[in-house]
Amino acid sequence: MRQEGVIKFALEHERRALDAASLGDAVCQLVAWREVMALTGLVGQDPGRYEGAGYGNASLRVGRRSAGLGRRAFLITGTQTSGRRRIGVDDFAFVERYDAERNWLKSHGMTPPSSESLTHAAAYDLGPQIRCVLHAHSPILWRAARELRLPISDPSVPYGTPEMAAEVARLYRGGVFAERGVLAMGGHEDGILVFGRSPEEAGQTLVTWLARAYERACAVGV
Ligand SMILES: [Zn+2]
């Protein structure tokens, strides 16, 4: 967890502004759900957690639904932006191409993409129906993962690596992750990954499971 925020992949990033005219709607959908995540503590930065590193990120596919593997372009929150209370278009990167096996990614934007971009890319390669991926940090949900029967990635696999990308694919093939749209990252403290056909669907999945974790922790009358 110590290295949250450190980019571990080979990145070809061009620093130029995003096309706000064509991407504005997508940016605003992500900004809206990221705001909900910030309000619920699922994204942020806290001196008392993870040695002060920022945590959590959000992405949304843009462009053709039929785009092939490694070409499923997406918008993602920029690296080192988790602690910002408000973000705008310049805090996003546009990932154009990627190769999880080669650990390589090509993007543009005023900010380089999140250090966990390859995990998002790997999720998009699982199927065209996956349009939005949210990565949250939730101690209560992460600790309840086993009881709630969430799929859990191998604890020996660190975040942001090709091994994590392969682990996401393995769990998806297992069925439960595909069905529920949520997994707990076993080797990444408090890490939760959700996907959906839209930011709304992914956001609702995340908030629903968070509430289930709180419900379980409540246990009135036990
Ligand atoms: Zn994380």
Side-chain angles (χ1 to χ4, degrees), residues 41-174:
L42 298 168
V43 160
Q45 191 162 19
D46 179 338
R49 289 171 71 180
Y50 323 126
E51 300 179 357
Y55 55 89
N57 39 68
S59 73
L60 176 60
R61 268 195 66 188
V62 287
R64 285 182 307 113
R65 189 180 163 84
S66 59
L69 302 184
R71 296 164 179 269
R72 295 179 171 169
F74 59 92
L75 274 178
I76 187 162
T77 43
T79 186
Q80 315 291 349
T81 62
S82 304
R84 300 254 179 88
R85 189 58 197 85
R86 304 252 176 230
I87 59 168
V89 66
D90 287 344
D91 298 308
F92 285 86
F94 184 107
V95 175
E96 302 154 41
R97 301 272 299 271
Y98 52 86
D99 185 332
E101 278 178 28
R102 274 176 56 214
N103 212 15
W104 169 86
L105 203 138
K106 183 174 191 290
S107 59
H108 74 270
M110 298 306 284
T111 309
S114 159
S115 57
E116 290 181 81
S117 294
L118 267 184
T119 307
H120 291 244
Y124 292 126
D125 272 355
L126 296 174
Q129 72 283 7
I130 297 177
R131 299 289 298 186
C132 178
V133 175
L134 304 176
H135 170 52
H137 276 248
S138 169
I140 191 162
L141 180 52
W142 193 74
R143 289 188 199 124
R146 208 165 291 283
E147 271 182 73
L148 293 171
R149 297 188 179 174
L150 298 187
I152 303 171
S153 64
D154 185 333
S156 70
V157 174
Y159 92 96
T161 59
E163 291 75 22
M164 187 65 216
E167 191 56 9
V168 167
R170 183 185 69 79
L171 290 170
Y172 189 80
R173 285 192 301 270

